[in-house]
Amino acid sequence: METIDLKQTSDRESLLEERRKKLARWKLKKAQFDAQKEKALRNNIVTNSLEAKQPVEKFAVGQEQVKENLRKRKNELEKLDKRTSIKPSKKSKRSKRKEKISFEFDDNDEAEAASVFRLNEGFQKVPEYDDEKDPLDVFMTSLKTQEISSKTTSHNVGNILDVDDQMVELEGAEDENIGDTTDNFNISKIAKLKAKKRVKQINYSPEELERFQKNFYVESEAVSSMTDIEVEELRLSLDNINIKGTGCPKPVTKWSQLGLSTDIMTLITGKLHFDSLTPIQSQALPAIMSGRDVIGISKTGSGKTISYLLPLLRQVKAQRSLSKHETGPLGLILAPTRELALQIHEEVTKFTGTDASIRSVCCTGGSEMKKQITDLKRGAEIVVATPGRFIDILTLNDGKLLSTKRITFVIMDEADRLFDLGFEPQITQIMKTVRPDKQCVLFSATFPNKLRSFAVRVLRSPISITINSKGLVNENVKQKFKICHSDDEKFENLIQIAHGGNKFFDEGQTEIDGETSDLDETDAKAIIFVSSQQICDLISKKLTNAGIVAYAIHAGKPYQERLMNLEKFKREKNSILLCTEVLSRGLNVPEVSLVIIYNAVKTFAQYVHTTGRTARGSRSGTAITLLLNDELSGAYILTKAMRDDELKASDPLPSKRTS
Ligand SMILES: Nc1ncnc2c1ncn2[C@@H]1O[C@H](COP(=O)(O)OP(=O)(O)OP(=O)(O)O)[C@@H](O)[C@H]1O
């Protein structure tokens, strides 16, 4: 009996011992989990608080404060790590991956994160974000604050890149516009996936940086002699040019005041017949040519491309040629979509076609990667690229295919769109590989908050140039709308417009003057914008059934088909393009005289860009919105965008009816 009792006791003991061990293992795991979760939460708080939730405050705090906060956070985490004193157990790659997934935040985590943030003394308590403030104003004011507070600190790129590391982790999470359309959604998803590719950061030491010239601008006598009052008057007459930042050169009014080469002058005035400069060109060209970083905000179709292209070509020409072993580029132009990148590349080729010393390569997603690689290997002074493809190329062959060491000029075109599509992480990574003293310019039709936080990290003492900030819709675009009471009525109206008629406007409402005759006489193309791929396919079918040919493009179609349809649309007279909003920016087909917005756009910026596909250069055009009764946000955007006389002449908008 005794033996049995002893055996039972020892069994119980070993069972208890086993349980104790299990409990200890579980506790260890739990502590480890909590510590990592805490760490992840804190990271999230830092990035969110800096970047997404309270963008205005980030600037009030300034770079120094940000760095201080990060230091504090690091210390806190170190303390926390010591407290929990857990040695990371050896885990397989697979289990590590699993753990990472399990740390993803749910709604409760967000609330928890917010409360931790409130308790965290490391961060300043800051006022609520003021939606009424112009982000550009806030940005430029914040620069002044920084200038004062950072007299002792130079623009330390290394530290800024530390902050960038956090931003990369954020992976575009702050983008409120993502998902507006199926196309946008797909692109942003791809952008997020591609953001996982990492390029190696390059830390340039001052000694290894080859000197290069940025300032090429010599003010002509006529410009120098202008008094301050004359400059002010000129800026007012040039669509109310608004300048922020110090040391902006005076605007120019003639191409000859820019010191351009004879070849370029012949091309601009003799071949392209650009008799005068557009307002953005008048001000941005001297500013960029004098080596300054510039933010250019100007409506669509206002000639922004030339505003950065001419200074870029000047800078590239002045540099040492690429050696046999160097691939280049010297200048990098980033654009949000393939179509825009191709278009910019075409424009570059226009200006460099006969000049063998400047080769340019367009790198966008699609099937032609092999050719792009071959072209890059031969050397290219200018690369026009979409951010995702550029990262692909930078990471190829362990980063040996293309070197960024000689990039001295970076341009971000359609910057608002780049950010809408969630490309911030890629651009941030690309910037880490480029020398800190590069010249950097950013062009956009709008300047949303998310762009501001990026601009403050990347641009150095920029000049911001805003053209006609009050009315961003091109004044050559006649804006109209039609209230429809059902989808069928909407489609019926679309058919009537597509047939070139203007009967769809009831008596007493605005007429579409001249649309019919325009369509018959010359090449007057039309673009129909819809909000998703599905609607695009549906309307395409319905139009075909109604005997109307419309070339359809959306991100779900194969690249070759998109390209072919775009080509046909460009080539054929009076053709119609049916597309999703993904093409609403940057597409430059000068013959487009009519834009039909079939599904109400979601944001003002989107409206500005979409209507901007017509009235290119000095032409005029019409934008018609077909609005359903319940599309109130679309109606609100129209009240913001349309000029008073256009609004008075039109049908009352739904919002007004309900009030
Ligand atoms: N000074 C000028 N005079 C007349 N036409 C011009 C001038 N500058 C550019 N253009 C033409 O105007 C059109 C629009 O120019 P561009 O594409 O540069 O505009 P953008 O502001 O970049 O538009 P988006 O924002 O839509 O990309 C082009 O066809 C271009 O060739």
Side-chain angles (χ1 to χ4, degrees):
M1 281 299 281
E2 214 179 284
T3 344
I4 293 165
D5 275 345
L6 271 175
K7 189 174 183 300
Q8 273 181 349
T9 314
S10 82
D11 278 350
R12 209 173 51 235
E13 278 299 330
S14 60
L15 200 69
L16 279 173
E17 181 58 25
E18 185 57 33
R19 279 188 184 168
R20 255 182 241 119
K21 275 185 190 161
K22 257 190 186 169
L23 190 67
R25 276 204 300 273
W26 181 84
K27 273 187 178 168
L28 190 74
K29 261 191 189 165
K30 170 95 173 59
Q32 197 175 18
F33 175 91
D34 287 346
Q36 292 200 29
K37 190 174 174 187
E38 176 95 0
K39 199 170 177 177
L41 275 173
R42 281 170 193 270
N43 274 339
N44 194 37
I45 296 155
V46 172
T47 48
N48 275 346
S49 61
L50 293 179
E51 185 66 16
K53 295 208 167 147
Q54 289 155 319
V56 174
E57 293 83 330
K58 185 196 160 194
F59 293 95
V61 172
Q63 293 284 337
E64 271 311 304
Q65 184 63 47
V66 171
K67 278 180 248 163
E68 176 62 15
N69 288 340
L70 285 172
R71 270 195 295 274
K72 280 190 181 170
R73 185 175 61 83
K74 211 174 149 202
N75 289 341
E76 279 168 15
L77 288 174
E78 273 169 7
K79 271 187 219 158
L80 194 82
D81 284 346
K82 271 183 205 155
R83 250 199 338 262
T84 48
S85 67
I86 294 158
K87 279 191 193 140
S89 58
K90 280 189 183 168
K91 284 180 184 153
S92 70
K93 270 188 186 167
R94 184 181 293 212
S95 66
K96 268 187 193 160
R97 220 178 294 138
K98 261 193 188 165
E99 191 173 77
K100 202 173 175 204
I101 293 163
S102 71
F103 287 149
E104 278 176 6
F105 305 136
D106 57 20
D107 289 348
N108 294 337
D109 287 322
E110 257 179 44
E112 202 183 328
S115 66
V116 174
F117 175 64
R118 278 195 297 276
L119 294 172
N120 192 334
E121 305 166 348
F123 293 93
Q124 242 174 250
K125 187 157 175 23
V126 278
E128 285 287 287
Y129 168 61
D130 183 355
D131 210 15
E132 290 299 302
K133 279 186 186 158
D134 177 355
L136 191 57
D137 281 343
V138 179
F139 170 60
M140 295 310 288
T141 320
S142 74
L143 284 183
K144 272 183 220 151
T145 322
Q146 277 177 52
E147 263 170 36
I148 298 162
S149 68
S150 67
K151 284 232 160 94
T152 47
T153 353
S154 63
H155 188 98
N156 187 334
V157 175
N159 287 335
I160 286 169
L161 291 177
D162 287 343
V163 181
D164 287 355
D165 274 333
Q166 308 293 325
M167 301 303 179
V168 174
E169 300 301 335
L170 194 65
E171 290 182 3
E174 88 275 37
D175 192 341
E176 75 270 13
N177 285 335
I178 287 177
D180 274 355
T181 68
T182 318
D183 280 23
N184 275 359
F185 183 68
N186 285 340
I187 292 175
S188 64
K189 247 165 111 180
I190 294 166
K192 280 181 191 176
L193 282 175
K194 288 208 166 185
K196 297 212 161 82
K197 280 198 174 177
R198 295 246 163 201
V199 289
K200 283 181 197 142
Q201 176 174 339
I202 304 177
N203 293 314
Y204 293 94
S205 62
E207 310 82 59
E208 68 176 304
L209 291 175
E210 202 170 320
R211 287 171 71 88
F212 73 102
Q213 193 185 343
K214 281 187 194 174
N215 184 358
F216 298 94
Y217 181 60
V218 181
E219 206 170 61
S220 71
E221 253 185 61
V223 177
S224 296
S225 62
M226 270 195 286
T227 63
D228 286 351
I229 292 172
E230 281 168 342
V231 169
E232 203 175 311
E233 272 176 17
L234 178 60
R235 284 189 177 136
L236 264 176
S237 71
L238 291 170
D239 283 354
N240 193 13
I241 297 176
N242 190 325
I243 303 294
K244 293 193 184 96
T246 50
C248 181
K250 297 170 182 175
V252 299
T253 48
K254 292 187 177 122
W255 296 108
S256 57
Q257 292 166 343
L258 287 163
L260 300 169
S261 71
T262 325
D263 286 354
I264 301 258
M265 280 297 282
T266 315
L267 185 67
I268 288 177
T269 53
K271 216 168 161 193
L272 297 171
H273 303 290
F274 293 168
D275 300 330
S276 54
L277 291 90
T278 64
I280 186 73
Q281 289 165 353
S282 292
Q283 187 58 83
L285 278 166
I288 305 175
M289 277 191 163
S290 42
R292 297 291 300 272
D293 282 6
V294 164
I295 299 169
I297 312 289
S298 179
K299 67 194 170 199
T300 54
S302 58
K304 294 191 283 276
T305 317
I306 287 181
S307 307
Y308 62 73
L309 200 52
L310 300 184
L312 168 67
L313 295 176
R314 186 76 186 84
Q315 203 198 91
V316 167
K317 286 278 287 176
Q319 290 206 46
R320 173 176 71 73
S321 310
L322 291 173
S323 73
K324 261 189 181 173
H325 311 289
E326 287 174 323
T327 55
L330 310 178
L332 172 66
I333 305 173
L334 293 171
T337 60
R338 291 170 193 166
E339 283 78 10
L340 182 58
L342 284 168
Q343 198 175 286
I344 296 168
H345 184 244
E346 260 174 40
E347 202 81 2
V348 176
T349 328
K350 246 187 232 167
F351 283 85
T352 57
T354 52
D355 186 346
S357 69
I358 303 183
R359 294 155 294 178
S360 87
V361 175
C362 186
C363 300
T364 67
S367 55
E368 69 281 18
M369 178 104 156
K370 216 171 154 189
K371 176 157 182 356
Q372 289 165 16
I373 294 171
T374 317
D375 290 347
L376 288 171
K377 275 184 179 168
R378 280 195 205 116
E381 283 72 18
I382 295 173
V383 167
V384 186
T386 45
R389 175 50 61 96
F390 195 65
I391 294 259
D392 285 345
I393 285 167
L394 285 184
T395 48
L396 267 182
N397 198 9
D398 203 22
K400 289 190 197 103
L401 174 73
L402 192 86
S403 161
T404 51
K405 286 199 174 155
R406 289 216 46 201
I407 296 181
T408 52
F409 204 137
V410 179
I411 294 137
M412 278 161 274
D413 200 353
E414 302 283 351
D416 48 359
R417 183 65 166 164
L418 277 166
F419 282 73
D420 267 356
L421 294 178
F423 281 125
E424 182 178 2
Q426 282 93 333
I427 300 173
T428 304
Q429 285 206 55
I430 293 167
M431 289 299 174
K432 284 182 182 183
T433 69
V434 183
R435 54 191 285 169
D437 58 347
K438 66 195 169 287
Q439 187 171 7
C440 191
V441 302
L442 187 153
F443 276 92
S444 194
T446 57
F447 195 74
N449 290 316
K450 56 192 144 208
L451 202 56
R452 196 189 57 224
S453 63
F454 175 80
V456 85
R457 282 182 288 129
V458 172
L459 302 182
R460 304 170 119 205
S461 317
I463 297 171
S464 98
I465 302 168
T466 310
I467 310 293
N468 198 10
S469 46
K470 288 282 170 263
L472 281 170
V473 175
N474 185 333
E475 73 272 14
N476 296 330
V477 178
K478 204 184 289 171
Q479 302 172 72
K480 294 166 190 287
F481 64 88
K482 169 76 183 164
I483 305 291
C484 308
H485 300 92
S486 66
D487 284 330
D488 288 345
E489 190 189 330
K490 211 185 210 189
F491 186 71
E492 194 48 44
N493 279 314
L494 179 69
I495 297 278
Q496 286 190 28
I497 305 167
H499 277 310
N502 60 4
K503 284 173 250 132
F504 71 99
F505 277 110
D506 301 330
E507 261 194 74
Q509 293 180 14
T510 323
E511 300 236 315
I512 310 178
D513 321 307
E515 245 97 76
T516 321
S517 55
D518 269 1
L519 279 166
D520 293 337
E521 266 173 23
T522 53
D523 186 7
K525 299 181 193 295
I527 307 183
I528 306 164
F529 283 102
V530 294
S531 60
S532 71
Q533 294 180 13
Q534 287 82 355
I535 298 178
C536 192
D537 290 337
L538 183 77
I539 300 294
S540 175
K541 258 188 214 150
K542 285 174 87 172
L543 285 174
T544 312
N545 292 342
I548 293 166
V549 179
Y551 296 112
I553 294 184
H554 61 65
K557 288 187 179 287
Y559 179 56
Q560 287 307 330
E561 191 182 331
R562 288 169 72 170
L563 212 58
M564 197 176 67
N565 282 353
L566 189 59
E567 267 314 302
K568 282 185 189 163
F569 171 65
K570 283 182 177 173
R571 209 174 44 231
E572 289 172 23
K573 275 194 166 186
N574 302 332
S575 48
I576 299 174
L577 183 73
L578 171 67
C579 60
T580 50
E581 287 156 12
V582 77
L583 275 190
S584 65
R585 308 197 192 200
L587 183 69
N588 180 31
V589 181
E591 297 81 17
V592 173
S593 66
L594 179 64
V595 161
I596 304 159
I597 302 173
Y598 192 74
N599 299 117
V601 292
K602 307 269 189 309
T603 62
F604 181 61
Q606 186 73 47
Y607 183 78
V608 171
H609 284 292
T610 308
T611 54
R613 294 316 101 205
T614 184
R616 309 290 297 172
S618 50
R619 295 170 191 240
S620 57
T622 303
I624 304 169
T625 302
L626 294 176
L627 207 62
L628 281 177
N629 268 1
D630 56 355
E631 288 177 308
L632 294 182
S633 61
Y636 172 70
I637 289 165
L638 284 176
T639 55
K640 252 177 94 179
M642 285 176 79
R643 288 167 278 269
D644 288 347
D645 53 332
E646 289 171 330
L647 271 174
K648 267 184 213 147
S650 299
D651 208 12
L653 284 161
S655 56
K656 289 185 180 168
R657 275 189 184 146
T658 51
S659 64

